[in-house]
Amino acid sequence: MKTSKYSLLTACVTTILAIVVVLPVRAATVKPSAATHWSLQVHQVDSGNVDLAYSFQIAIYENLVEEVNKTRRFQQVFRDGDHGVSEVPNLLVLKTTVEQYTPGSETRRAVTTVTGATKLTVRSALLTRDGRVVVERTVHGDVHFFGSNLRATHNLARNIAKAIKKTPLPDSATSTALAANKVEP
Amino acid sequence: MVHTTNNKRSCQSGERVVLRLFTALVLCSLTASAQSTIHRADGNAALNIRATHLLGFEGAKNNSNGTLSLQDGSLQFQRNGKPGAQVKVGSVRDVILGEESRQVGGLPMTLGKAAIPYSGGRVVSLVAHKKYDTLTLQYVDDDGAVHGAIFQLHKGEAGVVKAALTAQSMSVGSRQGEATKDSSGEVSYENK
């Protein structure tokens, strides 16, 4: 009777341990493998009709490349104009269009605390190579208290990267099939 | 009664000391920035200018101080005299100048201002700001990928770098033109 109790207990403990150890490892390995099929090309920022300083456009672009790289969601992150893109089978394109820009002042922020915020609003679209929109959303980036005006671009890029990280990416197989369908007459 | 007046006096003298310290800090930061020098060797051939790399220049740390130099057809950013990142002038596609007003002193100054009683830090903020030039570059690497870099320079110095870049790119362009018989230049230098 005692032995059967012990064996039952051992079996239970082993099962629990197996569940605790194996399941998270599986989850950790399965999740990224679905996403790492894709590479991403970050396009230059389109200022649209907004009068945005060129330094801000460049800062958004550079911060985007950095922040998207940090997410480790993509196999490779390419810049705009990179010739290596043509050899990549599964490519997504990140397009950013500025919708609103409120210029701020670091001095006003330091003196008044409540005014002088720099605010940026952009439309961020993730597209497949054939132009299919995977996700499109409006993202904000502000600097309210500490930091220079350019910090708004860093916050914006971080928010875009966060949004991309949460977005479920399409199955690469369906995309290639779509592309193949498009090529064939 | 005597004790309270003594306390008040010591408190006032303490505030004065803090105020003096911050005034000195502001003055030091302002005068230190004025010590930037422009060295030109061989006329237009070389240029060394103190600059702060804000972001983007390949291989250089963000928000780092160093020297922006231009020689032998390449733009280089060096920290502490060590060989740093460099870009060929021929690969620079755009140079745009800008202007920005920033608070001086960085994080230590911000913390110091927060420590001043009776919101005295706000008064210090009113005078502790300075105008800088920004130099925004757009260049391409060997793979054709577009890069951008932003440098912060003392007022009036960005124009010098731009002029030097224009001169160098023209000479590089003319040299390339001689070699390839192609005079089409894609470098545009704007002043926004």
Short mmCIF file of all heavy atoms in Angstrom, two decimals, chain B residues 28-81:
data_model
loop_
_atom_site.label_atom_id
_atom_site.label_comp_id
_atom_site.label_asym_id
_atom_site.label_seq_id
_atom_site.Cartn_x
_atom_site.Cartn_y
_atom_site.Cartn_z
N CYS B 28 30.66 78.37 -16.17
CA CYS B 28 31.69 77.43 -16.62
C CYS B 28 31.24 76.71 -17.89
O CYS B 28 32.01 76.56 -18.83
CB CYS B 28 31.98 76.39 -15.55
SG CYS B 28 33.04 77.02 -14.27
N SER B 29 29.97 76.26 -17.89
CA SER B 29 29.50 75.52 -19.06
C SER B 29 29.44 76.41 -20.29
O SER B 29 29.70 75.96 -21.40
CB SER B 29 28.13 74.90 -18.78
OG SER B 29 27.25 75.91 -18.38
N LEU B 30 29.10 77.68 -20.07
CA LEU B 30 29.03 78.60 -21.20
C LEU B 30 30.41 78.92 -21.75
O LEU B 30 30.63 78.96 -22.95
CB LEU B 30 28.32 79.90 -20.79
CG LEU B 30 26.81 79.78 -20.53
CD1 LEU B 30 26.27 81.10 -20.03
CD2 LEU B 30 26.08 79.37 -21.80
N THR B 31 31.37 79.14 -20.85
CA THR B 31 32.72 79.48 -21.32
C THR B 31 33.43 78.27 -21.91
O THR B 31 34.20 78.39 -22.84
CB THR B 31 33.58 80.06 -20.18
OG1 THR B 31 33.47 79.18 -19.06
CG2 THR B 31 33.17 81.46 -19.80
N ALA B 32 33.15 77.09 -21.35
CA ALA B 32 33.80 75.88 -21.88
C ALA B 32 33.41 75.66 -23.32
O ALA B 32 34.21 75.25 -24.14
CB ALA B 32 33.41 74.67 -21.05
N SER B 33 32.14 75.93 -23.62
CA SER B 33 31.69 75.71 -25.00
C SER B 33 32.31 76.71 -25.96
O SER B 33 32.45 76.45 -27.14
CB SER B 33 30.17 75.82 -25.06
OG SER B 33 29.78 77.09 -24.63
N ALA B 34 32.69 77.86 -25.43
CA ALA B 34 33.28 78.88 -26.29
C ALA B 34 34.73 78.56 -26.65
O ALA B 34 35.33 79.24 -27.47
CB ALA B 34 33.22 80.23 -25.61
N GLN B 35 35.28 77.51 -26.01
CA GLN B 35 36.68 77.19 -26.27
C GLN B 35 36.89 76.32 -27.50
O GLN B 35 37.98 75.90 -27.77
CB GLN B 35 37.26 76.48 -25.05
CG GLN B 35 37.50 77.43 -23.89
CD GLN B 35 37.95 76.71 -22.66
OE1 GLN B 35 37.96 75.49 -22.62
NE2 GLN B 35 38.33 77.45 -21.64
N SER B 36 35.80 76.03 -28.19
CA SER B 36 35.93 75.22 -29.39
C SER B 36 36.74 75.96 -30.45
O SER B 36 36.61 77.17 -30.62
CB SER B 36 34.55 74.91 -29.93
OG SER B 36 34.65 74.44 -31.21
N THR B 37 37.59 75.26 -31.11
CA THR B 37 38.44 75.91 -32.11
C THR B 37 38.31 75.21 -33.46
O THR B 37 38.04 74.03 -33.52
CB THR B 37 39.92 75.85 -31.69
OG1 THR B 37 40.22 74.50 -31.34
CG2 THR B 37 40.20 76.79 -30.55
N ILE B 38 38.51 75.98 -34.45
CA ILE B 38 38.49 75.43 -35.80
C ILE B 38 39.92 75.43 -36.31
O ILE B 38 40.55 76.46 -36.42
CB ILE B 38 37.60 76.29 -36.73
CG1 ILE B 38 36.17 76.33 -36.18
CG2 ILE B 38 37.63 75.77 -38.14
CD1 ILE B 38 35.33 77.42 -36.79
N HIS B 39 40.43 74.26 -36.55
CA HIS B 39 41.80 74.14 -37.07
C HIS B 39 41.72 73.81 -38.54
O HIS B 39 41.07 72.85 -38.93
CB HIS B 39 42.54 73.02 -36.35
CG HIS B 39 42.57 73.19 -34.86
ND1 HIS B 39 43.35 74.12 -34.25
CD2 HIS B 39 41.88 72.55 -33.88
CE1 HIS B 39 43.16 74.04 -32.94
NE2 HIS B 39 42.27 73.10 -32.69
N ARG B 40 42.38 74.58 -39.28
CA ARG B 40 42.46 74.27 -40.71
C ARG B 40 43.92 74.15 -41.10
O ARG B 40 44.67 75.09 -40.93
CB ARG B 40 41.82 75.38 -41.54
CG ARG B 40 40.34 75.24 -41.74
CD ARG B 40 39.87 76.48 -42.45
NE ARG B 40 38.44 76.46 -42.55
CZ ARG B 40 37.79 76.39 -43.71
NH1 ARG B 40 38.45 76.33 -44.83
NH2 ARG B 40 36.50 76.41 -43.74
N ALA B 41 44.24 73.02 -41.58
CA ALA B 41 45.60 72.82 -42.08
C ALA B 41 45.55 72.73 -43.59
O ALA B 41 44.59 72.18 -44.14
CB ALA B 41 46.16 71.52 -41.51
N ASP B 42 46.51 73.21 -44.25
CA ASP B 42 46.61 73.22 -45.72
C ASP B 42 45.39 73.88 -46.38
O ASP B 42 44.77 73.32 -47.27
CB ASP B 42 46.71 71.78 -46.28
CG ASP B 42 47.86 71.03 -45.66
OD1 ASP B 42 48.81 71.69 -45.22
OD2 ASP B 42 47.78 69.79 -45.62
N GLY B 43 45.02 75.04 -45.89
CA GLY B 43 43.89 75.76 -46.48
C GLY B 43 42.59 75.01 -46.32
O GLY B 43 42.11 74.84 -45.22
N ASN B 44 42.04 74.48 -47.42
CA ASN B 44 40.76 73.77 -47.36
C ASN B 44 40.95 72.26 -47.22
O ASN B 44 39.99 71.51 -47.23
CB ASN B 44 39.95 74.06 -48.62
CG ASN B 44 39.37 75.46 -48.60
OD1 ASN B 44 39.12 76.00 -47.53
ND2 ASN B 44 39.21 76.03 -49.77
N ALA B 45 42.18 71.82 -47.14
CA ALA B 45 42.44 70.38 -47.18
C ALA B 45 41.92 69.65 -45.96
O ALA B 45 41.36 68.58 -46.07
CB ALA B 45 43.92 70.12 -47.36
N ALA B 46 42.11 70.20 -44.76
CA ALA B 46 41.71 69.48 -43.54
C ALA B 46 40.94 70.40 -42.62
O ALA B 46 41.14 71.61 -42.61
CB ALA B 46 42.94 68.94 -42.84
N LEU B 47 40.08 69.79 -41.83
CA LEU B 47 39.25 70.57 -40.92
C LEU B 47 39.01 69.75 -39.65
O LEU B 47 38.68 68.58 -39.72
CB LEU B 47 37.91 70.87 -41.61
CG LEU B 47 36.86 71.58 -40.78
CD1 LEU B 47 37.07 73.07 -40.84
CD2 LEU B 47 35.48 71.24 -41.30
N ASN B 48 39.23 70.35 -38.51
CA ASN B 48 38.96 69.69 -37.23
C ASN B 48 38.05 70.58 -36.40
O ASN B 48 38.38 71.73 -36.15
CB ASN B 48 40.27 69.45 -36.46
CG ASN B 48 41.07 68.34 -37.07
OD1 ASN B 48 40.57 67.25 -37.30
ND2 ASN B 48 42.33 68.62 -37.35
N ILE B 49 36.96 70.03 -35.98
CA ILE B 49 35.98 70.82 -35.24
C ILE B 49 35.40 69.98 -34.10
O ILE B 49 35.13 68.80 -34.28
CB ILE B 49 34.86 71.29 -36.21
CG1 ILE B 49 35.05 72.77 -36.54
CG2 ILE B 49 33.49 71.03 -35.71
CD1 ILE B 49 34.06 73.33 -37.49
N ARG B 50 35.26 70.62 -32.92
CA ARG B 50 34.67 69.93 -31.78
C ARG B 50 33.17 69.76 -32.06
O ARG B 50 32.50 70.71 -32.47
CB ARG B 50 34.83 70.75 -30.50
CG ARG B 50 36.25 70.88 -30.01
CD ARG B 50 36.80 69.64 -29.35
NE ARG B 50 36.00 69.20 -28.22
CZ ARG B 50 36.05 67.96 -27.73
NH1 ARG B 50 36.85 67.06 -28.27
NH2 ARG B 50 35.32 67.61 -26.70
N ALA B 51 32.67 68.57 -31.86
CA ALA B 51 31.25 68.32 -32.13
C ALA B 51 30.71 67.25 -31.19
O ALA B 51 31.47 66.48 -30.61
CB ALA B 51 31.07 67.87 -33.58
N THR B 52 29.41 67.24 -31.06
CA THR B 52 28.74 66.18 -30.31
C THR B 52 27.96 65.33 -31.28
O THR B 52 27.13 65.86 -32.03
CB THR B 52 27.79 66.78 -29.26
OG1 THR B 52 28.52 67.67 -28.43
CG2 THR B 52 27.16 65.70 -28.39
N HIS B 53 28.26 64.05 -31.27
CA HIS B 53 27.53 63.14 -32.16
C HIS B 53 26.22 62.77 -31.46
O HIS B 53 26.22 62.13 -30.41
CB HIS B 53 28.37 61.90 -32.43
CG HIS B 53 27.60 60.81 -33.09
ND1 HIS B 53 27.34 59.60 -32.49
CD2 HIS B 53 27.01 60.75 -34.30
CE1 HIS B 53 26.63 58.86 -33.30
NE2 HIS B 53 26.42 59.52 -34.41
N LEU B 54 25.10 63.21 -32.04
CA LEU B 54 23.80 62.93 -31.41
C LEU B 54 23.31 61.52 -31.75
O LEU B 54 22.92 60.79 -30.87
CB LEU B 54 22.76 63.98 -31.84
CG LEU B 54 23.03 65.41 -31.39
CD1 LEU B 54 21.91 66.33 -31.85
CD2 LEU B 54 23.19 65.50 -29.87
N LEU B 55 23.35 61.19 -33.02
CA LEU B 55 22.94 59.82 -33.39
C LEU B 55 23.28 59.54 -34.85
O LEU B 55 23.51 60.46 -35.64
CB LEU B 55 21.44 59.61 -33.16
CG LEU B 55 20.43 60.48 -33.90
CD1 LEU B 55 19.98 59.84 -35.20
CD2 LEU B 55 19.21 60.69 -33.02
N GLY B 56 23.32 58.26 -35.16
CA GLY B 56 23.33 57.81 -36.56
C GLY B 56 24.65 57.50 -37.21
O GLY B 56 24.70 56.65 -38.08
N PHE B 57 25.74 58.16 -36.82
CA PHE B 57 27.01 57.96 -37.52
C PHE B 57 27.52 56.55 -37.19
O PHE B 57 27.70 56.22 -36.01
CB PHE B 57 28.03 59.01 -37.08
CG PHE B 57 29.08 59.30 -38.11
CD1 PHE B 57 28.75 59.78 -39.36
CD2 PHE B 57 30.42 59.10 -37.82
CE1 PHE B 57 29.72 60.04 -40.31
CE2 PHE B 57 31.40 59.37 -38.76
CZ PHE B 57 31.05 59.85 -40.00
N GLU B 58 27.71 55.77 -38.23
CA GLU B 58 28.06 54.35 -38.06
C GLU B 58 29.34 54.19 -37.24
O GLU B 58 30.37 54.75 -37.57
CB GLU B 58 28.24 53.72 -39.45
CG GLU B 58 28.14 52.22 -39.48
CD GLU B 58 26.71 51.69 -39.38
OE1 GLU B 58 25.79 52.51 -39.25
OE2 GLU B 58 26.53 50.47 -39.42
N GLY B 59 29.26 53.44 -36.17
CA GLY B 59 30.45 53.14 -35.36
C GLY B 59 30.73 54.13 -34.26
O GLY B 59 31.63 53.92 -33.46
N ALA B 60 29.97 55.22 -34.20
CA ALA B 60 30.18 56.22 -33.15
C ALA B 60 29.07 56.11 -32.10
O ALA B 60 27.92 55.79 -32.44
CB ALA B 60 30.20 57.61 -33.75
N LYS B 61 29.44 56.38 -30.86
CA LYS B 61 28.47 56.27 -29.77
C LYS B 61 27.56 57.50 -29.76
O LYS B 61 28.03 58.62 -29.99
CB LYS B 61 29.24 56.19 -28.44
CG LYS B 61 28.47 55.54 -27.33
CD LYS B 61 29.34 55.48 -26.09
CE LYS B 61 28.50 55.13 -24.89
NZ LYS B 61 29.27 55.21 -23.65
N ASN B 62 26.29 57.26 -29.47
CA ASN B 62 25.33 58.37 -29.41
C ASN B 62 25.65 59.33 -28.26
O ASN B 62 26.12 58.91 -27.21
CB ASN B 62 23.90 57.86 -29.24
CG ASN B 62 23.37 57.21 -30.49
OD1 ASN B 62 24.05 57.13 -31.50
ND2 ASN B 62 22.15 56.74 -30.43
N ASN B 63 25.38 60.61 -28.48
CA ASN B 63 25.59 61.67 -27.48
C ASN B 63 27.03 61.69 -26.95
O ASN B 63 27.25 61.84 -25.75
CB ASN B 63 24.62 61.50 -26.32
CG ASN B 63 23.19 61.69 -26.76
OD1 ASN B 63 22.87 62.64 -27.46
ND2 ASN B 63 22.34 60.76 -26.38
N SER B 64 27.98 61.50 -27.84
CA SER B 64 29.37 61.52 -27.41
C SER B 64 30.08 62.74 -28.02
O SER B 64 29.80 63.14 -29.14
CB SER B 64 30.08 60.24 -27.86
OG SER B 64 29.99 60.09 -29.25
N ASN B 65 30.99 63.28 -27.24
CA ASN B 65 31.78 64.43 -27.72
C ASN B 65 33.02 63.94 -28.43
O ASN B 65 33.58 62.91 -28.07
CB ASN B 65 32.18 65.31 -26.54
CG ASN B 65 30.99 65.96 -25.89
OD1 ASN B 65 30.12 66.47 -26.57
ND2 ASN B 65 30.93 65.92 -24.57
N GLY B 66 33.43 64.69 -29.41
CA GLY B 66 34.63 64.29 -30.14
C GLY B 66 35.01 65.35 -31.17
O GLY B 66 34.59 66.50 -31.07
N THR B 67 35.79 64.93 -32.12
CA THR B 67 36.26 65.85 -33.15
C THR B 67 35.77 65.39 -34.51
O THR B 67 35.96 64.22 -34.88
CB THR B 67 37.80 65.90 -33.15
OG1 THR B 67 38.25 66.09 -31.82
CG2 THR B 67 38.31 67.02 -34.02
N LEU B 68 35.17 66.30 -35.20
CA LEU B 68 34.71 66.02 -36.56
C LEU B 68 35.79 66.54 -37.51
O LEU B 68 36.07 67.73 -37.52
CB LEU B 68 33.38 66.73 -36.80
CG LEU B 68 32.52 66.29 -37.97
CD1 LEU B 68 32.08 64.84 -37.81
CD2 LEU B 68 31.31 67.18 -38.08
N SER B 69 36.39 65.64 -38.23
CA SER B 69 37.48 66.08 -39.11
C SER B 69 37.17 65.68 -40.55
O SER B 69 36.47 64.70 -40.81
CB SER B 69 38.80 65.47 -38.66
OG SER B 69 38.71 64.08 -38.65
N LEU B 70 37.74 66.45 -41.41
CA LEU B 70 37.50 66.25 -42.84
C LEU B 70 38.84 66.31 -43.55
O LEU B 70 39.45 67.38 -43.64
CB LEU B 70 36.57 67.36 -43.34
CG LEU B 70 36.03 67.27 -44.74
CD1 LEU B 70 35.16 66.05 -44.91
CD2 LEU B 70 35.22 68.51 -45.05
N GLN B 71 39.30 65.16 -43.97
CA GLN B 71 40.57 65.17 -44.71
C GLN B 71 40.68 63.96 -45.63
O GLN B 71 40.09 62.92 -45.36
CB GLN B 71 41.77 65.22 -43.75
CG GLN B 71 41.78 64.14 -42.69
CD GLN B 71 42.86 64.38 -41.67
OE1 GLN B 71 43.31 65.50 -41.47
NE2 GLN B 71 43.29 63.33 -41.00
N ASP B 72 41.42 64.13 -46.68
CA ASP B 72 41.64 63.09 -47.69
C ASP B 72 40.33 62.51 -48.22
O ASP B 72 40.19 61.29 -48.39
CB ASP B 72 42.52 61.96 -47.13
CG ASP B 72 43.85 62.49 -46.62
OD1 ASP B 72 44.33 63.47 -47.20
OD2 ASP B 72 44.39 61.92 -45.65
N GLY B 73 39.35 63.36 -48.40
CA GLY B 73 38.09 62.91 -48.99
C GLY B 73 37.21 62.08 -48.09
O GLY B 73 36.33 61.37 -48.57
N SER B 74 37.44 62.15 -46.77
CA SER B 74 36.53 61.43 -45.88
C SER B 74 36.23 62.24 -44.62
O SER B 74 37.08 62.99 -44.12
CB SER B 74 37.12 60.06 -45.50
OG SER B 74 38.31 60.23 -44.81
N LEU B 75 35.02 62.06 -44.15
CA LEU B 75 34.56 62.74 -42.94
C LEU B 75 34.70 61.76 -41.79
O LEU B 75 34.20 60.64 -41.85
CB LEU B 75 33.09 63.14 -43.11
CG LEU B 75 32.46 63.96 -42.00
CD1 LEU B 75 33.01 65.37 -41.97
CD2 LEU B 75 30.95 64.01 -42.16
N GLN B 76 35.37 62.22 -40.74
CA GLN B 76 35.69 61.31 -39.64
C GLN B 76 35.25 61.90 -38.31
O GLN B 76 35.36 63.11 -38.09
CB GLN B 76 37.20 61.05 -39.62
CG GLN B 76 37.60 59.85 -38.81
CD GLN B 76 39.08 59.53 -38.97
OE1 GLN B 76 39.89 60.42 -39.17
NE2 GLN B 76 39.42 58.26 -38.85
N PHE B 77 34.75 61.04 -37.43
CA PHE B 77 34.42 61.48 -36.07
C PHE B 77 35.28 60.68 -35.09
O PHE B 77 35.19 59.45 -35.01
CB PHE B 77 32.94 61.26 -35.77
CG PHE B 77 32.54 61.74 -34.41
CD1 PHE B 77 32.40 63.10 -34.15
CD2 PHE B 77 32.29 60.84 -33.38
CE1 PHE B 77 32.05 63.54 -32.89
CE2 PHE B 77 31.93 61.28 -32.12
CZ PHE B 77 31.81 62.63 -31.87
N GLN B 78 36.12 61.42 -34.36
CA GLN B 78 37.04 60.76 -33.44
C GLN B 78 36.73 61.13 -32.00
O GLN B 78 36.39 62.28 -31.70
CB GLN B 78 38.48 61.21 -33.72
CG GLN B 78 39.02 60.72 -35.04
CD GLN B 78 40.40 61.31 -35.31
OE1 GLN B 78 40.55 62.51 -35.34
NE2 GLN B 78 41.37 60.44 -35.47
N ARG B 79 36.87 60.15 -31.11
CA ARG B 79 36.73 60.42 -29.67
C ARG B 79 38.08 60.23 -29.02
O ARG B 79 38.73 59.20 -29.22
CB ARG B 79 35.75 59.44 -29.03
CG ARG B 79 34.32 59.74 -29.38
CD ARG B 79 33.42 58.80 -28.63
NE ARG B 79 33.43 59.09 -27.21
CZ ARG B 79 32.97 58.27 -26.28
NH1 ARG B 79 32.53 57.09 -26.61
NH2 ARG B 79 32.99 58.62 -25.01
N ASN B 80 38.53 61.22 -28.28
CA ASN B 80 39.80 61.20 -27.55
C ASN B 80 40.99 60.88 -28.45
O ASN B 80 41.91 60.17 -28.05
CB ASN B 80 39.75 60.17 -26.40
CG ASN B 80 38.55 60.37 -25.52
OD1 ASN B 80 38.16 61.51 -25.25
ND2 ASN B 80 37.96 59.29 -25.05
N GLY B 81 40.94 61.35 -29.68
CA GLY B 81 42.06 61.16 -30.59
C GLY B 81 42.18 59.78 -31.18
O GLY B 81 43.06 59.52 -32.00
#
